[in-house]
Amino acid sequence: MNDHVKTNSAGPIIATVMAFGLAYAVLRYHIVGPVPWKDFPFFILNKGISLSAFILLTCNFGFGPLNNLGVRVPEGWLNARKAMGMTGFLLVLIHALMSFLLFKPAVYGKFFEADGTLTLLAGLSMLGGILAFVVLWAYNLSFQTFLREDQAFIRFITSRKFLLFALLLGAAHLFFMGYSGWLNPAGWHGGLPPISLLAFSVFAIGYVSNLLGRK
Ligand code: HEM
């Protein structure tokens, strides 16, 4: 027997988060909402994937600081952080590729002006999303051994200041995309909050934990 095997809850956490993300998207848009089932394999799956990715990444950044703040995060959850971060990154990559294919006025009317150009809010939202994606990519690179030796890069990218800034990019993506709908609960399908608001609330908890608990 090896007493040094670390408990790691990555499998069950990732499975639960993904099941929740997909179930929420299906419930809000197909079951209580108006979207036809033919749109499940791409439009709605993209929403479920982006929500799951966002929650996994928030857990990745948030568990350590929460633990520092005295919330007892189980050992297996702390050990799951690397797998959650990697899975979150890959899910965001899928989300970005799917979004590029879907990105047209017929699908996202509210992102476009009548002349087919982007609205200001859509431009700000997509800028936030793309910058957040590039920063996530840089985080992943920082785990590669060839960059591990570049101490200045690692120190910068894992610094508290940079992290607190980087998290805001993901929040900007959600905020500019969604806040007009957040303020109109009467328009929520089945009374269920939009995915962007749900993800933003998860972000807010993660951000406050980082603000207070990251060393
Ligand atoms: C190249 C980068 C990205 C692009 C082009 C992009 C594009 C989009 C688009 C078009 C939407 C609207 C989707 C919809 O409502 O059906 C969206 C929503 C969303 N994105 Fe991104 N995104 C990017 C990066 C990210 C990143 C890095 C994250 C997570 C950290 C993320 C998380 C989300 C979430 C949670 C939603 C909300 C879905 C909803 O309210 O329905 N995205 N993104």
Side-chain angles (χ1 to χ4, degrees), residues 16-200:
T16 307
V17 169
M18 289 194 66
F20 170 76
L22 292 181
Y24 194 81
V26 166
L27 177 65
R28 184 169 197 271
Y29 292 95
H30 290 313
I31 297 177
V32 298
V35 178
W37 281 97
K38 70 143 185 78
D39 286 329
F40 172 72
F42 217 75
F43 181 55
I44 297 303
L45 193 62
N46 185 32
K47 289 177 183 284
I49 286 176
S50 63
L51 176 59
S52 309
F54 203 90
I55 297 175
L56 285 174
L57 291 169
T58 308
C59 292
N60 171 273
F61 290 119
F63 280 176
L66 265 184
N67 197 50
N68 293 342
L69 287 172
V71 177
R72 278 213 23 232
V73 180
E75 174 97 8
W77 293 28
L78 291 173
N79 294 336
R81 281 176 294 178
K82 194 163 181 184
M84 287 189 304
M86 182 54 87
T87 309
F89 173 71
L90 292 174
L91 291 176
V92 166
L93 182 57
I94 296 173
H95 162 60
L97 293 172
M98 289 176 105
S99 297
F100 283 138
L101 274 186
L102 283 169
F103 206 68
K104 41 181 131 293
V107 181
Y108 295 114
K110 69 168 188 176
F111 290 166
F112 294 89
E113 302 283 6
D115 66 1
T117 59
L118 281 188
T119 64
L120 173 64
L121 292 181
L124 290 171
S125 168
M126 291 306 128
L127 179 66
I130 287 174
L131 292 180
F133 178 66
V134 170
V135 167
L136 275 176
W137 197 330
Y139 267 101
N140 266 288
L141 286 178
S142 76
F143 292 118
Q144 311 295 323
T145 41
F146 70 94
L147 272 174
R148 276 233 153 271
E149 278 117 56
D150 189 338
Q151 291 296 326
F153 175 72
I154 300 284
R155 227 178 300 123
F156 170 70
I157 203 155
T158 56
S159 69
R160 182 176 185 279
K161 238 192 232 154
F162 183 72
L163 232 135
L164 288 174
F165 160 74
L167 294 178
L168 292 178
L169 296 170
H173 181 49
L174 299 174
F175 179 77
F176 291 119
M177 169 187 318
Y179 81 86
S180 58
W182 301 351
L183 305 176
N184 178 28
W188 296 353
H189 307 313
L192 293 173
I195 286 184
S196 54
L197 176 55
L198 198 62
F200 193 85

